[in-house]
Amino acid sequence: MGIELKINNKLAKKVTAVSEQLNIDTNELIIKAIKKFLHTQEMSVFRKQLKGIAKKNGFQSEEDIYKAIS
């Protein structure tokens, strides 16, 4: 499956400059950036889910969790 991506000239220039600095293909840089973004979003969702579970179990803060495991 392929995806066509259109970006403005300013962003394209930045991508090109960074890819040259890192000595990697622009396509590889874009793929790495997207993967990192998606991972960050997945971790954010996971953290929100864990926060909900923790609250249901009486933990209101990270300090509460620390006290419970210490």
Side-chain angles (χ1 to χ4, degrees):
M1 179 173 123
I3 296 176
E4 186 176 325
L5 177 66
K6 294 182 182 181
I7 58 176
N8 64 40
N9 288 338
K10 187 176 180 180
L11 184 56
K13 286 178 183 178
K14 287 182 180 183
V15 169
T16 301
V18 171
S19 70
E20 288 173 357
Q21 289 172 355
L22 298 175
N23 197 30
I24 61 174
D25 182 69
T26 54
N27 193 56
E28 185 180 345
L29 175 64
I30 292 167
I31 290 170
K32 285 183 177 196
I34 291 171
K35 283 181 179 180
K36 186 172 184 177
F37 173 81
L38 293 174
H39 178 73
T40 301
Q41 295 307 305
E42 289 169 350
M43 291 299 102
S44 178
V45 168
F46 182 64
R47 183 180 171 124
K48 286 179 185 177
Q49 290 171 342
L50 284 179
K51 191 174 183 179
I53 292 168
K55 282 190 177 187
K56 286 180 184 176
N57 287 289
F59 297 101
Q60 299 300 317
S61 67
E62 290 181 12
E63 186 176 328
D64 293 341
I65 296 168
Y66 178 77
K67 286 178 184 177
I69 62 172
S70 302

